[in-house]
Amino acid sequence: MEELTFLKRKATEIRKELITMIYESGTGHTGGSLSNTDILTVLYYKIMNVDSKNPNWEDRDRYVQSKGHSVESYWAVLADKGFFPKEELQTFSKFNSRLIGHPNNKVPGVEMNTGALGHGLSIAVGMALAAKLDNKSYKVYTVMGDGEQAEGSVWEGAMAAAQYKLDNLIAIIDRNRLQITGGTEDVMGLEPLGDKWRSFGWEVVEVDGNDIEQLVTVLSDNPKVSGKPLLIVANTVKGKGISFSENQVGWHHRVPTKEEYELAIKELSEQLEVLV
């Protein structure tokens, strides 16, 4: 229980950090960063074997953020883990900053530049296959958006992962059901999403992607099935943690006003007070 409380507090702290980054920089993908915060928190503070003092350690687990636009939570986590100074977060999206609006592998801890959707899974497949060929035990994790599932390259990567029996690969879909132009089922229907991935040869598990305990459980026991890559459908709430941004498509890419920012910080601070 103490560990779960720590993870919940950390996720809330990361949300405070990312909303501050977006407010102060005047740009950012708010909704998706808030929805994937719990996933990143569990990966980096509980599951993945990484070392901020040695980010290029050969046996490290690999993480690829395929939904690269939701980078603010990623930057906040990497800074908090010590991959770069926290003070650098204040430069987010400013002139000459390396903390740009998508993951940039000039930053320690970032494996690959991402931005154009649909590429992350294929990159992760290559990394996982390399581990198998080199007899390495590291695992590869990637987070995709649900709107990203409309990209054909996602399904090419899915086929390859099953073909090569990459049970060291864990893909997570941030299933918040909203994308920039509306609901996913209106823009490009995805259901039955889990069955589609199963038909491609993957083991599929569905969880509440904003429930820390469920995420810890599903990510702590891998591979689920020997010889099969794992796909986690993480059902999340876009804009999670801030009342007025939750499930609002307009918060896909929006900067809070001064009043909204102050209210967001107040709500998140109150959530922290409960987590003692």
Side-chain angles (χ1 to χ4, degrees):
M1 184 60 70
E2 187 174 320
E3 180 181 62
L4 291 176
T5 300
F6 166 78
L7 292 170
K8 290 174 183 178
R9 286 188 61 85
K10 186 58 68 177
T12 306
E13 291 167 0
I14 295 299
R15 286 187 168 97
K16 287 183 71 174
E17 193 74 72
L18 77 86
I19 199 67
T20 298
M21 290 167 56
I22 292 170
Y23 174 69
E24 292 183 348
S25 67
T27 187
H29 286 84
T30 306
S33 288
L34 289 167
S35 70
N36 73 18
T37 294
D38 299 300
I39 298 167
L40 288 177
T41 298
V42 172
L43 285 174
Y44 274 91
Y45 295 90
K46 169 64 179 176
I47 300 298
M48 291 200 308
N49 193 14
V50 294
D51 182 359
S52 61
K53 294 181 176 60
N54 186 13
N56 295 319
W57 173 41
E58 187 175 327
D59 292 320
R60 71 192 181 279
D61 288 335
R62 272 70 166 171
Y63 173 72
V64 177
Q65 180 138 319
S66 191
K67 54 171 299 187
H69 56 281
S70 295
V71 75
E72 294 83 4
S73 49
Y74 190 24
W75 290 145
V77 166
L78 289 178
D80 189 66
K81 289 288 291 183
F83 284 92
F84 59 87
K86 269 192 173 183
E87 294 75 22
E88 193 172 345
L89 293 176
Q90 298 170 20
T91 72
F92 172 63
S93 281
K94 295 180 180 176
F95 183 65
N96 275 342
S97 174
R98 58 183 180 171
L99 302 184
I100 56 177
H102 290 83
N104 164 26
N105 64 3
K106 292 180 180 178
V107 179
V110 177
E111 299 289 346
M112 180 60 65
N113 298 343
T114 52
L117 294 173
H119 295 170
L121 180 63
S122 294
I123 294 167
V125 167
M127 291 176 174
L129 180 56
K132 292 287 188 181
L133 294 173
D134 292 340
N135 292 314
K136 294 289 187 179
S137 61
Y138 65 79
K139 294 178 181 178
V140 183
Y141 300 84
T142 184
V143 170
M144 299 178 282
D146 49 6
E148 185 177 357
Q149 304 305 295
E151 300 282 357
S153 51
V154 169
W155 301 99
E156 293 177 38
M159 284 191 290
Q163 174 69 24
Y164 293 110
K165 298 179 171 52
L166 300 180
D167 54 9
N168 58 340
L169 174 62
I170 299 94
I172 305 166
I173 298 176
D174 183 5
R175 183 72 168 113
N176 60 39
R177 289 176 168 74
L178 291 173
Q179 58 191 98
I180 190 169
T181 52
T184 56
E185 301 313 291
D186 297 321
V187 177
M188 183 69 73
L190 300 176
E191 296 299 339
L193 185 56
D195 287 342
K196 289 175 180 175
W197 280 87
R198 290 184 187 95
S199 74
F200 274 68
W202 288 58
E203 182 68 12
V204 177
V205 178
E206 189 164 342
V207 299
D208 180 340
N210 295 130
D211 185 307
I212 295 288
E213 187 170 5
Q214 287 189 35
L215 288 168
V216 168
T217 298
V218 73
L219 287 164
S220 294
D221 180 25
N222 287 303
K224 297 289 183 191
V225 178
S226 179
K228 274 192 172 187
L230 174 65
L231 185 280
I232 299 171
V233 179
N235 293 299
T236 62
V237 174
K238 194 153 191 164
K240 178 68 175 178
I242 299 173
S243 61
F244 53 85
S245 67
E246 290 189 353
N247 280 319
Q248 299 298 312
V249 68
W251 280 94
H252 177 88
H253 186 286
R254 182 183 157 187
V255 177
T257 63
K258 182 175 184 292
E259 293 75 18
E260 289 169 334
Y261 170 69
E262 290 174 350
L263 178 56
I265 294 297
K266 179 176 181 291
E267 289 185 1
L268 292 167
S269 297
E270 289 171 350
Q271 293 170 34
L272 280 173
E273 290 174 4
V274 174
L275 294 169
V276 293

